[in-house]
Amino acid sequence: MSPSSSSSLIHGISISVSDDEEASGRVRVRVRRKRHRHPASAARRCLLRRAARLCAPLLLATLAVSLLLYESYRLSPSSPTPPPAANLTRVDHTGAARAADGARKPCLKILGPEKLQNLELPEVPEQNLSLQKVVYKSSLLHLGDDDSSRTEISRFNSFTGYQTLNEREESFKMKELTTLHCGFYNENGGFKVSDVDKDYMRSCSVVVATCAFGGGDDLHQPIGMTEVSIKKVCYVAFWDEVTRAAQEEEGNKIGENLMIGLWRIILVRDLPFSDQRLNGKIPKLISHRLFPMARYSIWVDSKSQFRRDPLGVLEALLWRSNSSLALSEHGARSSLYDEGKAIVKKHKATPEEVKIQLDQYRQDGIPDEKRFNGKKALAEASVIVRDHAPLTNLFMCLWFNEVVRFTSRDQLSFPYVLRRLRMPGVHLFPVCARKDLVNSFGHRRKAKPLARERR
C-alpha cells in the first residue's frame, strides 16, 4: 500500500482511509455494489451472437444467387426457343437481323414475293454529269504506250498497261470524254475466255458473279430468288483449270450445258497475275469489261452463298435510294490508315508495301479521318452491288488501277478513290445487311499461285 492511503476489502465493500482521516478519527466509507448478471438475458445475448455468426454467410450467399439469377434473366433472349442451327434455306423477307439482346431490328427490307414477281428494270436515267463516256486505253489505240520501262511497279503488265503517275493523276480529272487504263490493254495480255462464253456474257443484262482461281473455294448455290429472277439474271462463276480439277475431285462436274446448278461456269485461260487475289479483282472490280451489255451486276465473294433475290437487292440498295454503287461498310474500322496497320499486323501485306501506299495517299492529301460526308468511308467489299453507268465504270477502273499499283487489299484503296472522285450515289450499307444478303462459310482452301508473272 502507498504511504498516502490504506485500503481494505471486506465482503465486497471497499473502504478507503486517507492519512488525514486516520488522524482525525473519521472514516469515509464508499460502498461499491457488486453487479449480478441475470442468467436469462446473458443466454439470450449469446444466442443472438451465435445466430448472427451462422446466418451472415447464408444471407450473403442468398443475395449472390439472386443477383446471378437476375442477370441471367436480363441477358437471355426474349424467345426461350433457340433458332435452328445452320438453316441455310431460310429467307426472311422482312429483312430483319437479330441483335445481341435477341430483339429483331430492321436491316435490309426486300420486297415481298408478289411484288418481286412483277419487278422490272427501270428506264435508263439521263446522265446530268460532265462525264458522258469512258474510253479504255489499249495497245491498239495507243501505240507506244505499252513500254514497261515507264514504270517501276512490277505488277503492271500487258494486261493492265503501264500507267504512269502522271496518267494516274489525269485519270481522276472528270471530263466529258475520259480515257484511262482499265485492264485488257493488250490482246495477248491474258484472261482469255472462249467465243461461246463471250457470246453468253454479252447476252446478260443483270449478273451475279463470283470466281475461284487456283483451287480456291467451293461453289455455293444461290437461294432465295424468284422464278422471274432465274429467267432474267445470269449467275456466272469464273474458274481456271486448277479450280475445275479440284471441284471435279469433289464431284462437282460441269454439265454439257456448261452449268453447275444455277451457275454458268466460265473457264479462264492464261491468267495475267501470279497473285490469285489480283486475278480475282478482274471480275470483282471491272465486271463491266467482261459484261459489256449488262446494266447491273452483283459481286459475291467465293466464300459466301448468295441468299436473296437479285432484282429485290437491286431495288433495295440502288433503285430505292437512287444509288449507283452499294457495298458493305467495314465492321471493325473506319480509317484507311488504321486499316493499313491492321493489314500489316495480320500479315496480309508487307510493311513496305503498305507504307508506300499510305505515304502516297498522305502526299495526295488524304486525311486520317474516320468519316467522309458524315458517313463511314471504309468498305468491307465482299458484296458489291452496282450499275454499269459511265461514272460507276470510271470509279471501278480507278479502284482496279490502285489495287494493281499498290497492295491487293482493296479496302485500302476504296476510301482514296471515293475521296478523290467524289462520286454521288455511293451507298455503304451496314454489316447486318451484308449478313442478310449472304451466308458466309470462310475460305476452305488456299489458292495456288501461278508459277510466273506476266510481263
Side-chain angles (χ1 to χ4, degrees), residues 124-196:
V124 179
E126 293 185 5
Q127 296 291 326
N128 296 322
L129 302 170
S130 59
L131 175 69
Q132 297 297 322
K133 187 177 181 180
V134 178
V135 176
Y136 308 114
K137 288 192 173 186
S138 73
S139 59
L140 296 177
L141 296 176
H142 301 84
L143 298 177
D145 283 357
D146 57 350
D147 180 9
S148 59
S149 64
R150 296 174 57 188
T151 179
E152 297 178 356
I153 304 299
S154 61
R155 295 201 301 184
F156 283 128
N157 55 30
S158 56
F159 175 81
T160 62
Y162 302 91
Q163 184 197 57
T164 66
L165 284 173
N166 287 335
E167 288 171 329
R168 172 180 179 264
E169 187 64 26
E170 286 296 316
S171 65
F172 282 96
K173 298 177 181 178
M174 197 184 305
K175 311 181 186 87
E176 184 175 343
L177 178 64
T178 299
T179 303
L180 78 164
H181 293 85
C182 194
F184 299 95
Y185 183 79
N186 191 299
E187 61 180 5
N188 297 318
F191 209 90
K192 302 283 187 64
V193 300
S194 70
D195 290 338
V196 172

Side-chain angles (χ1 to χ4, degrees), residues 77-304:
S78 57
S79 173
T81 305
N87 187 2
L88 302 180
T89 59
R90 179 183 60 82
V91 177
D92 178 13
H93 287 284
T94 62
R98 185 169 292 279
D101 60 358
R104 303 290 290 179
K105 54 187 294 188
C107 198
L108 180 65
K109 295 184 178 180
I110 302 288
L111 295 176
E114 293 183 2
K115 291 184 178 180
L116 287 176
Q117 290 286 354
N118 300 317
L119 197 59
E120 298 288 343
L121 299 184
E123 297 293 330
V124 179
E126 293 185 5
Q127 296 291 326
N128 296 322
L129 302 170
S130 59
L131 175 69
Q132 297 297 322
K133 187 177 181 180
V134 178
V135 176
Y136 308 114
K137 288 192 173 186
S138 73
S139 59
L140 296 177
L141 296 176
H142 301 84
L143 298 177
D145 283 357
D146 57 350
D147 180 9
S148 59
S149 64
R150 296 174 57 188
T151 179
E152 297 178 356
I153 304 299
S154 61
R155 295 201 301 184
F156 283 128
N157 55 30
S158 56
F159 175 81
T160 62
Y162 302 91
Q163 184 197 57
T164 66
L165 284 173
N166 287 335
E167 288 171 329
R168 172 180 179 264
E169 187 64 26
E170 286 296 316
S171 65
F172 282 96
K173 298 177 181 178
M174 197 184 305
K175 311 181 186 87
E176 184 175 343
L177 178 64
T178 299
T179 303
L180 78 164
H181 293 85
C182 194
F184 299 95
Y185 183 79
N186 191 299
E187 61 180 5
N188 297 318
F191 209 90
K192 302 283 187 64
V193 300
S194 70
D195 290 338
V196 172
D197 291 337
K198 286 181 181 178
D199 290 340
Y200 176 79
M201 291 190 290
R202 288 183 64 87
S203 70
C204 298
S205 59
V206 178
V207 184
V208 176
T210 190
C211 80
F213 297 134
D217 297 308
D218 291 339
L219 188 65
H220 305 292
Q221 291 297 322
I223 59 175
M225 74 291 293
T226 62
E227 291 295 328
V228 172
S229 286
I230 293 176
K231 296 176 181 178
K232 291 183 177 181
V233 177
C234 298
Y235 291 88
V236 178
F238 293 91
W239 283 2
D240 61 354
E241 289 293 343
V242 178
T243 299
R244 177 166 73 167
Q247 288 299 308
E248 284 184 351
E249 290 181 1
E250 300 284 339
N252 299 320
K253 294 186 177 182
I254 304 173
E256 293 183 359
N257 60 352
L258 305 178
M259 306 281 288
I260 297 180
L262 288 175
W263 291 104
R264 173 65 155 79
I265 308 301
I266 304 289
L267 287 176
V268 182
R269 308 182 313 276
D270 202 11
L271 291 169
F273 304 105
S274 62
D275 184 350
Q276 297 289 16
R277 294 173 302 175
L278 205 51
N279 287 320
K281 304 304 179 186
I282 297 171
K284 178 176 183 177
L285 300 182
I286 53 174
S287 58
H288 56 282
R289 300 296 324 262
L290 295 166
F291 301 94
M293 306 307 293
R295 292 184 54 193
Y296 300 96
S297 65
I298 299 173
W299 165 261
V300 181
D301 273 2
S302 59
K303 64 184 178 182
S304 301

Side-chain angles (χ1 to χ4, degrees), residues 348-400:
K348 293 185 176 182
T350 66
E352 294 77 15
E353 288 177 316
V354 173
K355 184 179 185 303
I356 290 172
Q357 184 169 5
L358 297 186
D359 285 350
Q360 181 66 55
Y361 288 175
R362 289 189 181 95
Q363 181 179 329
D364 293 341
I366 303 302
D368 186 5
E369 295 178 354
K370 300 181 184 298
R371 315 289 284 184
F372 177 66
N373 289 340
K375 299 179 181 178
K376 180 182 283 192
L378 195 66
E380 187 263 350
S382 63
V383 179
I384 301 176
V385 184
R386 52 164 298 202
D387 65 21
H388 285 205
L391 184 56
T392 312
N393 294 345
L394 172 62
F395 186 101
M396 303 304 286
C397 290
L398 293 170
W399 192 4
F400 176 74

